[in-house]
Amino acid sequence: QLQLQESGPGLVKPSETLSLTCTVSGGSISSYNYYWGWVRQPPGRGLEWIGSIYFTGSTYYNPSLKSRVAISVDKSNNQFSLKLSSETAADTAVYYCARQREEGNYLGNFDYWGQGMLVTVSS
Amino acid sequence: DIQMTQSPSTLSASVGDRLTITCRASQSTSSWLAWYQQKPGKAPKLLIYKASSLESGVPSRFSGSGSGTEFTLTISSLQPDDFATYYCQQYNTYLTFGGGTKVEIK
């Protein structure tokens, strides 16, 4: 059974960079036809896609966050990571990592999710 | 950007009711649309993909339909486990989620 687990600091200071890692177990991050993505959810609000990566390193970012986001993959450790710079209180959210199932050459839907991790931006 | 608008934002219903949730896209997404169920404190769960395909393991009371800019999620007979928030997501152009529909107990 595929499992994903987010890790990283739960508190980030304003203007600093958020760094999270997602560890994949029970399957290979180098699988064809699957992307690996990040989704966030501010408290009490809806879901927002941050970006996705393929095991080859190809990345796709939400245009509204593109200038601040970097996603990378570490195939040897079966992990992928998120960096979001210039944090503000508006970035306070539960951050999920998830597997994306490619469909018809499109990024596709999320079929496996991590449990989520609350990251608070505060001084 | 493709904007996704769900309606209603909140829905009060009883066990056994037939429910329909609508998702409208600001431009065509063809059939590249998914539906998710989310319960408080939990990650979303995939229900429907490609507008009408039922994800493995999801009860058959859930169904999806539509194409282009208008989509619906139907629950044929609401069960106690179905009280949750539902989101649509397009993946025709990048990815965008709808604002969510909370299904509450009447």
Side-chain angles (χ1 to χ4, degrees), chain B:
Chain B
D1 292 9
I2 298 180
Q3 307 301 319
M4 307 300 291
T5 304
Q6 286 184 236
S7 60
S9 56
T10 306
L11 199 159
S12 296
S14 302
V15 172
D17 284 353
R18 180 182 179 87
L19 244 62
T20 299
I21 298 170
T22 299
C23 180
R24 289 188 174 87
S26 59
Q27 57 187 273
S28 177
T29 69
S30 185
S31 295
W32 305 116
L33 185 113
W35 289 96
Y36 299 85
Q37 175 193 69
Q38 187 180 33
K39 296 181 179 179
K42 299 294 186 182
K45 173 187 174 183
L46 179 65
L47 301 175
I48 302 286
Y49 63 95
K50 207 175 178 184
S52 60
S53 296
L54 190 68
E55 177 69 358
S56 176
V58 174
S60 59
R61 62 181 180 272
F62 292 93
S63 64
S65 64
S67 65
T69 61
E70 187 154 336
F71 302 88
T72 58
L73 172 71
T74 299
I75 308 174
S76 61
S77 178
L78 196 66
Q79 297 302 300
D81 191 47
D82 301 337
F83 291 97
T85 301
Y86 294 84
Y87 293 94
C88 61
Q89 175 229 319
Q90 68 82 19
Y91 46 98
N92 181 80
T93 305
Y94 292 115
L95 294 94
T96 319
F97 289 92
T101 296
K102 185 176 182 179
V103 177
E104 299 179 327
I105 300 174
K106 184 183 285 184

